């Protein structure tokens, strides 16, 4: 079962990438997006009314697209895991799921970059520095796979 080890490595890589992307976005979105009680980002950045209107206008479509892409990623992630643990390993099925995940991850990364650029244009220099600090201060995201494998053994 040589396919299983590379498949697991691929799964770990995919899970880590999705986890990191999700953590960045969830942390940025404010209440309701994560379990923390942090104030919404627009309050932390102290947006004025004009900035807030522009912020809301770019954020709504971004969130819709991000959530749709996240749902697609999850479906392909599930397909990959199921293929890796199927009774018989099907390399084509595994590769198809992996390729779909990679493509969706690239699209989601582009979406996040475009959103950050749009938000950057709304912010003044102080707010940009504040947002930069918030993004850089985020702890690395842990994936379920990492959590499962980091459990102490008896």
């Amino acid at each position: 079962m040589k396919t299983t080890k590379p498949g697991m490595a691929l799964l770990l890589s995919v899970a880590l990438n999705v986890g990191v992307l999700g953590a960045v976005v969830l942390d940025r979105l404010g209440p309701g997006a994560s379990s923390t009680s942090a104030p919404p980002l627009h309050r932390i950045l102290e947006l004025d009314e004009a900035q807030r209107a522009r912020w809301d206008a770019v954020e709504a479509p971004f969130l819709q697209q991000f959530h749709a892409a996240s749902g697609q990623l999850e479906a392909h992630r599930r397909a990959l895991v199921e293929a890796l643990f199927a009774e018989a390993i099907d390399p084509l099925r595994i590769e198809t799921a992996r390729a779909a995940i990679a493509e969706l991850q690239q699209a989601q990364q582009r979406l996040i970059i475009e959103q950050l650029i749009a938000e950057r244009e709304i912010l003044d220099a102080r707010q940009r520095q504040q947002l930069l600090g918030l993004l850089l201060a985020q702890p690395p995201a842990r994936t379920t796979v990492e959590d499962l494998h980091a459990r102490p053994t008896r």
Side-chain angles (χ1 to χ4, degrees):
M1 294 222 164
K2 292 181 183 176
T3 308
T4 303
K5 286 183 183 179
M8 284 306 291
L10 174 65
L11 178 63
L12 284 170
S13 174
V14 168
L16 179 63
N17 286 334
V18 171
V20 169
L21 279 173
V24 168
V25 172
L26 290 176
D27 190 64
R28 286 189 337 79
L29 298 180
S34 69
S35 61
T36 65
S37 59
L41 189 54
H42 65 85
R43 284 197 193 134
I44 293 171
L45 298 175
E46 299 174 346
L47 301 182
D48 63 31
E49 286 182 39
Q51 288 175 311
R52 178 67 193 274
R54 290 176 60 201
W55 186 275
D56 290 345
V58 299
E59 189 175 50
F62 163 73
L63 290 176
Q64 288 176 331
Q65 292 174 342
F66 185 83
H67 290 305
S70 295
Q72 291 175 332
L73 273 169
E74 178 58 26
H76 288 291
R77 184 200 65 80
R78 182 180 281 297
L80 177 60
V81 172
E82 289 173 356
L84 289 168
F85 289 93
E87 190 66 33
I89 297 290
D90 179 352
L92 181 59
R93 184 174 162 206
I94 291 169
E95 176 55 22
T96 299
R98 187 215 55 82
I101 290 168
E103 185 178 319
L104 287 167
Q105 283 178 325
Q106 286 182 353
Q108 199 167 45
Q109 287 172 344
R110 282 190 297 274
L111 181 66
I112 291 169
I113 290 167
E114 290 168 7
Q115 180 64 20
L116 289 172
I117 290 170
E119 290 173 358
R120 181 187 191 285
E121 295 303 315
I122 295 169
L123 303 175
D124 63 30
R126 178 194 60 80
Q127 293 164 327
R128 283 193 301 270
Q129 285 301 109
Q130 192 172 13
L131 180 56
L132 172 63
L134 289 170
L135 292 171
L136 293 177
Q138 294 178 77
R142 286 187 55 93
T143 65
T144 303
V145 173
E146 289 174 306
D147 288 340
L148 288 172
H149 288 277
R151 290 183 179 168
T153 59
R154 293 183 196 195

